[in-house]
């Protein structure tokens, strides 16, 4: 059910990790991440629960991830699995720009595949 708050992402990316539609290089990257993406999503979700929220920048630093990897897994956790949400709070990143703080929707955990 789409209540207008979320994009209906239940069939996004044909079962692959997220990628830019129409981009062969992005799709190739998604295929290469297919096995590892569920492990990374789980680590990010657990980190968000443990820290009671974090920016993508915080996650990149703590989990030693590239921005592309962290950002893609956050998008999946938010849009596809609906396990995290934008808390509405913001804080500065290493660049000095503000970023949203993501929080885990505790109690909604389901299989992170």
């Amino acid at each position: 059910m789409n209540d207008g708050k979320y994009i209906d992402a239940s069939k996004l990316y044909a079962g692959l990790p997220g990628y830019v539609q129409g981009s062969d290089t992005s799709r190739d990257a998604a295929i290469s991440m297919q096995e590892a993406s569920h492990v990374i999503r789980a680590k990010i979700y657990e980190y968000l629960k443990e820290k009671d929220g974090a920016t993508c920048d915080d996650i990149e630093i703590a989990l030693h991830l590239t921005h592309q990897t962290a950002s893609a897994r956050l998008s999946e956790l938010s849009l596809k699995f609906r396990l995290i949400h934008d808390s509405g709070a913001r804080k500065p990143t290493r660049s000095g720009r503000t970023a949203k703080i993501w929080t885990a929707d505790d109690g909604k955990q389901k299989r992170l595949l």
Side-chain angles (χ1 to χ4, degrees):
M1 178 175 137
N2 187 346
D3 61 5
K5 186 174 179 182
Y6 296 101
I7 296 169
D8 183 2
S10 61
K11 296 183 181 182
L12 281 179
Y13 316 121
L16 292 173
Y19 65 93
V20 176
Q21 299 290 328
S23 169
D24 60 333
T25 56
S26 182
R27 187 173 193 286
D28 289 348
I31 291 168
S32 76
M33 287 296 295
Q34 192 165 14
E35 295 299 316
S37 63
H38 69 282
V39 172
I40 297 169
R41 280 193 300 268
K43 286 180 180 180
I44 290 172
Y45 182 78
E46 290 303 317
Y47 181 79
L48 289 174
K49 282 178 31 180
E50 176 186 313
K51 296 297 181 184
D52 199 26
T55 65
C56 185
D57 191 53
D58 295 331
I59 291 164
E60 293 164 23
I61 294 165
L63 301 180
H64 308 285
L65 299 172
T66 65
H67 173 73
Q68 293 84 351
T69 298
S71 178
R73 303 300 75 85
L74 284 168
S75 291
E76 293 163 355
L77 286 167
S78 173
L79 297 174
K80 186 174 182 180
F81 296 100
R82 296 182 182 166
L83 290 172
I84 66 171
H85 68 275
D86 176 352
S87 69
R90 304 290 185 261
K91 78 175 210 179
T93 64
R94 290 174 283 181
S95 71
R97 294 178 182 93
T98 57
K100 62 181 74 172
I101 297 176
W102 293 98
T103 56
D105 291 333
D106 209 11
K108 291 185 177 181
Q109 186 172 9
K110 51 187 164 183
R111 202 166 164 207
L112 297 176
L113 295 178

